[in-house]
Amino acid sequence: MDVLRIGNASGFYGDRFDAVREMLTGGELDVLTGDYLAELTMLILGRDRLKNPDAGYAKTFLRQMEEGLGLAHERGVRIVTNAGGLHPAGLADALRALADRLGVPARIAHVEGDRLPAGGGILAANAYLGGAGIAACLAAGADVVVTGRVTDAALVTGPAQWFFGWGPEAYDELAGAVVAGHVLECGTQATGGNYAFFRDHDVRRPGFPLAEIHPDGTCVITKHAGTGGLVDVGTVTAQLLYETAGARYAGPDVTARLDTVRLTQDGPDRVRISGVRGEAPPPTLKVGRCRLGGFRNEVVFVLTGLDVEAKARLTQDQIEDAFARSKSRPAEVRWELARTDRPDADTEETASALLRLVVRDPDPEAVGRALSGAAIELALAGYPGFHVTAPPGKGAPYGVFEAAYVPAGDVPHTAVLPDGTRLPVPVPPHTREPAPVDPPPLPEPLPPGPTRRAPLGRVAGARSGDKGGDANVGVWVTSDTAWRWLAHTLTVERLRELLPETADLAVVRHDLPALRAVNFVVTGLLGEGVASQARFDPQAKALGEWLRARELDVPEELL
């Protein structure tokens, strides 16, 4: 065979449970992957393991294997997953017990070494490993490979290295596999899920994606025949922009050059990815550290009818006065007024606005009793129509995600083969620190012409997401004419105008002309990361849709 078919059945811990069966029975596959580990998931698994040392892996995957293990064996499909989380050896043992109980002769291997020593309040510290350990396990005959923290793309680069025999310096081929892995990693986001132009397609139940990878690293992104959703240049572009930054996409296997990616529609629900160039990987590995950040609580006051802003001011004054009298004001107090009300509304709900109070403090008492007392005592002494969406309870702990970097040689990347042999995985022979790419030349701007005030989303798609406390928002268009306009119009200064929350933050724009896209990275928008819930949209998932809804002067020829 000169094509490796890799499908994905999970984009996060909690994704569609039936996807494993759907992918194994829906068409031809060689490898099935499952991505279960987001930054927030590592914190959740870390808290699980504090309660039970035998926990720390994605239990959903084990339940999916009740049926999936036998189906994969019947069809000769290898399974590769990072569901091992903080305890890949534990999940591998559980899978062996399951295989014995089911009578399935599955050979189980796992990859470890990503978990690093932690202290000083750190719940978990995990290095992002590459695909070489996975490749070693598959070469030793593993039917199932379980990992802990690896890069999302490693679930694809590992099988591709094994299948095609690529060496560590096959940079272009590895870079092609990294791009394929990045497209697959979030499951149905590549097949119409969370898609800006969803109104043009039937995306009620999109199928999961697969990549047909060729020996030269090129691939075709598609899905099983008869499944919902779609695969086109737009859906693939959207996923390529998700949670990325500049042209150099650095990882432990290779640094992929996103500015070399070429996308071509290759038939219905088929997009060919070609031209991807690669460079030596960096000498360091990213480490994700999860720690307890403190305690938080919140209460949402419902303000109905007239004088909404005056009611909000009264509530803030009363709560602040209560904090001052009790001498227990939380370390951080944040108010947000969401004007969800409308004039002369015909239902009470649409006549109401929401005033959200969020408090944080190292002391759980400061966000528990202090807040609940201050809020509930206003029940008969506050604004007219006083009520809340739910009474505040005890303060809850919240987590913080931090990124650090360590020399790759300091991480004991180890493949534990099906027979128990422990095989150290060597670091790449050559490394290179990624450097910024010179800005590419921009196209000629459109000549002056008539314009109309319209939302950006009438001509552009967007996809946004989080990386720790930073957010990215990628914006793309579908024609060369629109690209000539977008490249000169959506500057950093214009972004700050359209998204005032970014006005005081560092913003960097990266240009990707081959994708007709610009990608913005906003530093610090998400505070200390998703687990800290620093803003209304803590993972910046809808940041791109907010941007698309903002109005500006658009050339009439684009509308």
Side-chain angles (χ1 to χ4, degrees):
M1 288 190 301
D2 58 356
V3 176
L4 174 65
R5 294 173 177 84
I6 302 181
N8 178 30
S10 176
F12 68 99
Y13 191 8
D15 209 342
R16 188 189 306 167
F17 187 87
D18 293 338
V20 168
R21 176 179 177 81
E22 292 170 10
M23 291 301 290
L24 288 173
T25 60
E28 189 175 356
L29 275 186
D30 302 304
V31 177
L32 181 65
T33 68
D35 180 7
Y36 292 78
L37 302 183
E39 293 168 357
L40 181 61
T41 310
M42 299 301 282
L43 178 66
I44 294 170
L45 295 178
R47 290 173 59 183
D48 286 349
R49 202 151 194 231
L50 284 177
K51 302 173 186 176
N52 178 6
D54 294 328
Y57 55 79
K59 292 174 283 188
T60 300
F61 173 75
L62 192 60
R63 290 194 290 116
Q64 288 172 309
M65 289 300 101
E66 291 274 353
E67 180 182 27
L69 207 58
L71 288 173
H73 176 70
E74 292 170 5
R75 290 160 173 75
V77 178
R78 314 280 183 121
I79 295 176
V80 179
T81 179
N82 61 15
L86 298 179
H87 196 15
L91 178 55
D93 287 341
L95 285 168
R96 292 187 189 96
L98 176 63
D100 288 344
R101 176 166 63 82
L102 297 175
V104 177
R107 294 162 293 183
I108 314 296
H110 73 276
V111 177
E112 59 185 39
D114 62 295
R115 194 165 187 199
L116 303 181
I122 301 295
L123 293 177
N126 296 79
Y128 287 71
L129 302 179
I134 295 170
C137 292
L138 292 170
D143 300 303
V144 180
V145 182
V146 172
T147 77
R149 178 77 278 180
V150 295
T151 65
D152 299 336
L155 300 177
V156 171
T157 63
Q161 289 175 68
W162 155 70
F163 189 82
F164 295 115
W166 295 336
E169 295 183 48
Y171 297 139
D172 292 347
E173 292 87 346
L174 287 167
V178 164
V179 170
H182 183 62
V183 173
L184 296 188
E185 70 183 54
C186 288
T188 54
Q189 277 198 170
T191 56
N194 300 347
Y195 187 43
F197 303 114
F198 71 97
R199 293 178 61 186
D200 301 332
H201 309 279
D202 182 358
V203 294
R204 287 172 293 178
R205 187 179 171 85
F208 278 71
L210 64 94
E212 300 171 354
I213 302 178
H214 296 264
D216 62 356
T218 62
C219 73
V220 171
I221 303 298
T222 184
K223 61 187 183 70
H224 284 328
T227 57
L230 76 153
V231 178
D232 68 8
V233 170
T235 64
V236 174
T237 298
Q239 181 55 27
L240 279 174
L241 295 173
Y242 182 65
E243 295 182 348
T244 59
R248 283 192 166 99
Y249 188 62
D253 295 308
V254 68
T255 294
R257 290 289 298 263
L258 298 183
D259 56 344
T260 64
V261 175
R262 298 293 185 272
L263 304 180
T264 309
Q265 197 71 40
D266 196 47
D269 292 321
R270 294 177 63 83
V271 172
R272 182 171 297 278
I273 301 178
S274 62
V276 187
R277 303 298 301 273
E279 300 168 347
T284 57
L285 295 181
K286 179 181 175 181
V287 177
R289 302 189 302 198
C290 299
R291 64 175 173 84
L292 183 65
F295 297 84
R296 72 180 298 280
N297 205 348
E298 71 174 74
V299 58
V300 179
F301 302 90
V302 182
L303 315 176
T304 304
L306 303 177
D307 305 318
V308 165
E309 292 186 2
K311 290 171 180 174
R313 285 195 300 272
L314 173 61
T315 305
Q316 293 180 49
D317 290 344
Q318 289 178 310
I319 293 291
E320 292 290 359
D321 181 63
F323 284 158
R325 283 185 287 102
S326 68
K327 299 181 181 180
S328 59
R329 188 181 194 276
E332 180 183 341
V333 177
R334 180 169 178 171
W335 295 91
E336 291 184 42
L337 176 60
R339 294 301 302 266
T340 53
D341 57 305
R342 66 185 68 165
D344 194 24
D346 57 5
T347 67
E348 183 176 334
E349 186 171 358
T350 56
S352 300
L354 301 177
L355 177 64
R356 183 171 179 245
L357 168 61
V358 178
V359 296
R360 291 184 174 82
D361 198 277
D363 181 4
E365 286 295 315
V367 301
R369 188 172 304 168
L371 175 64
S372 60
I376 298 306
E377 288 172 8
L378 297 182
L380 303 179
Y383 58 85
F386 178 96
H387 67 287
V388 296
T389 56
K394 296 180 180 179
Y398 70 89
V400 172
F401 177 87
E402 301 170 333
Y405 294 86
V406 299
D410 291 352
V411 177
H413 190 175
T414 304
V416 184
L417 307 183
D419 64 0
T421 300
R422 300 180 62 82
L423 183 66
V425 178
V427 298
H430 299 100
T431 60
R432 172 181 172 181
E433 197 67 52
V437 174
D438 292 334
L442 295 180
E444 287 293 321
L446 288 180
T451 63
R452 190 189 318 159
R453 199 74 177 169
L456 174 64
R458 291 290 174 258
V459 295
R463 173 71 59 79
S464 57
D466 64 312
K467 279 296 180 186
D470 302 338
N472 95 290
V473 54
V475 183
W476 81 95
V477 290
T478 59
S479 72
D480 291 337
T481 301
W483 170 238
R484 291 173 63 188
W485 172 77
L486 181 75
H488 291 276
T489 300
L490 196 57
T491 61
V492 169
E493 293 73 22
R494 181 61 61 85
L495 183 85
R496 293 185 194 278
E497 294 172 6
L498 296 175
L499 304 183
E501 285 186 45
T502 70
D504 298 324
L505 301 174
V507 180
V508 178
R509 177 180 124 162
H510 302 280
D511 297 339
L512 298 168
L515 299 177
R516 301 190 189 99
V518 292
N519 197 11
F520 295 91
V521 177
V522 184
T523 302
L525 180 69
L526 306 180
E528 295 178 300
V530 55
S532 70
Q533 297 184 349
R535 65 191 295 272
F536 171 68
D537 174 17
Q539 290 181 280
K541 298 293 189 182
L543 186 67
E545 287 303 292
W546 178 27
L547 177 61
R548 293 182 69 238
R550 296 308 309 268
E551 295 187 353
L552 67 172
D553 294 328
V554 179
E556 289 189 352
E557 65 179 295
L558 301 181
L559 295 172

